Amino acid sequence: MPIARTASALACALVLAACGLARDSVPADRLPRFSPLSGPAPRIALVLGSGGPRGFAHIGVLKVLEEMGIHPDLIVGSSVGAMVGVLYAAGYDARSLERLAAGLNVMQFYELRELLKKRSTGAAVQDYVDEKVDGRTLEQLRIPVALAATRLTDHKLVLFDRGDAGLAVRASAADPDNFEPVRIGADLYADGDELSPVPIHAARELGARFVIAVDVSAYARTTPPGVPEAWIDKDARRARQIRAEAPQADVLLHPDLGYYAGFSESYRRRVMSVAEAYTREHMARIRAALSAFEAREGKADAASPKRGG
């Protein structure tokens, strides 16, 4: 009898989970898409990289940048960086994000299908983001934002800066190891981490004149013995991609968070604290880079031809 009850409960749960997949569909006019930015080129872009739960560290960085009076005109995010970036662009300041992170119930992101060794759909991620931004689309957020994702039909990096915020984040964070591909229109999308873990080049392509990038990936030197080769290969691939784009950043911040990641509240608090302390240690470097940029901008303005009256 207990077995029958368990089977019945599991069947009902799976039916409910399947019903939840209807959340995948959004009206055609809300589908994530890209449209070139209008208006002047962004002065300061903040690029937030991939890293799963390591991404809580972005909040510690934001906390210090806010205290320094640095406010981005554009946010470009990949994977978990897309989620943090969207919430920040929606109006959550660093301290608000810190409270959200500390009080997060991570169980709300698990799906019963995972008990059957199936990949998550990511629908809970979509729901969470859409709820936190009050249903606003990407273009309705306070700060312009662009989210990186990998289009599987041609394995190209694409950006979303319009449309449903939750669905765009879900696509950008669809790590193939843990999440099913996300359908948007006629195409399937996966994690932006696959092609651009820290999308610095994308920020430059969008016209950003000063780029602060945040890399929360593990340092190779922290890799413990016995780690699966697949993890080592993925870390090496990610490091190569980041190195290729790093020269285009004015400031690249890379706090050492240790190798293993987790979802516990203590882990979340620790990585936010580590990233905050690291960024404080590098405040002089950030200020120096910003001063050099402002000096270049001033010279460019002085050299530009003035219109007569």
Side-chain angles (χ1 to χ4, degrees):
M1 194 67 174
I3 294 176
R5 282 199 299 268
T6 300
S8 176
L10 181 58
C12 289
L14 291 174
V15 168
L16 290 173
C19 290
L21 299 184
R23 294 171 295 187
D24 288 2
S25 60
V26 299
D29 62 345
R30 281 183 64 94
L31 286 177
R33 58 198 181 277
F34 176 77
S35 180
L37 296 173
S38 58
R43 183 170 179 271
I44 298 176
L46 179 62
V47 179
L48 304 180
S50 61
R54 307 170 71 84
F56 290 108
H58 289 311
I59 298 169
V61 175
L62 287 169
K63 192 173 179 182
V64 179
L65 295 182
E66 275 185 4
E67 291 175 10
M68 295 177 67
I70 297 174
H71 303 286
D73 306 296
L74 171 68
I75 298 172
V76 182
S78 184
S79 199
V80 67
M83 175 182 278
V84 176
V86 161
L87 296 179
Y88 195 65
Y92 291 89
D93 63 15
R95 292 193 179 275
S96 297
L97 289 175
E98 191 175 36
R99 288 191 293 270
L100 274 181
L104 191 67
N105 176 14
V106 295
M107 289 304 296
Q108 73 188 94
F109 298 104
Y110 286 96
E111 299 177 13
L112 286 169
R113 61 189 286 118
E114 295 176 65
L115 295 175
L116 302 177
K117 306 300 183 184
K118 293 184 177 181
R119 291 181 294 174
S120 171
T121 66
V125 172
Q126 178 180 342
D127 287 350
Y128 178 83
V129 172
D130 280 334
E131 176 194 346
K132 294 304 178 186
V133 304
D134 295 324
R136 283 173 289 171
T137 57
L138 294 176
E139 66 270 29
Q140 293 172 329
L141 303 181
R142 295 184 182 183
I143 303 171
V145 63
L147 311 184
T150 300
R151 187 169 56 209
L152 296 180
T153 47
D154 54 6
H155 206 63
K156 297 291 186 183
L157 188 76
V158 299
L159 298 176
F160 297 124
D161 66 354
R162 301 283 188 276
D164 190 277
L167 185 55
V169 169
R170 177 180 171 188
S172 180
D175 171 14
D177 292 335
N178 300 296
F179 292 91
E180 292 184 340
V182 176
R183 181 171 294 280
I184 298 177
D187 293 305
L188 291 173
Y189 295 87
D191 202 336
D193 174 82
E194 294 292 297
L195 295 176
S196 187
V198 186
I200 299 166
H201 180 69
R204 289 296 190 189
E205 287 289 295
L206 292 173
R209 306 202 302 277
F210 186 84
V211 175
I212 300 174
V214 186
D215 174 12
V216 296
S217 65
Y219 277 80
R221 66 170 183 265
T222 67
T223 306
V227 167
E229 281 298 321
W231 293 13
I232 294 173
D233 291 344
K234 187 172 184 177
D235 290 340
R237 182 267 298 167
R238 183 181 286 125
R240 286 194 303 272
Q241 291 168 323
I242 295 171
R243 279 197 304 271
E245 298 193 40
Q248 292 185 275
D250 294 279
V251 175
L252 178 60
L253 301 173
H254 188 189
D256 187 352
L257 307 173
Y259 189 80
Y260 290 113
F263 290 97
S264 67
E265 181 182 345
S266 61
Y267 177 81
R268 286 174 254 154
R269 289 186 181 276
R270 184 181 73 78
V271 296
M272 287 189 287
S273 177
V274 168
E276 179 182 344
Y278 168 92
T279 309
R280 290 192 189 285
E281 291 171 3
H282 288 80
M283 287 172 69
R285 177 164 68 93
I286 298 168
R287 285 198 177 101
L290 193 53
S291 294
F293 162 70
E294 289 171 343
R296 292 194 304 271
E297 290 279 287
K299 288 181 180 178
D301 288 343
S304 62
K306 301 296 188 295
R307 232 179 127 178

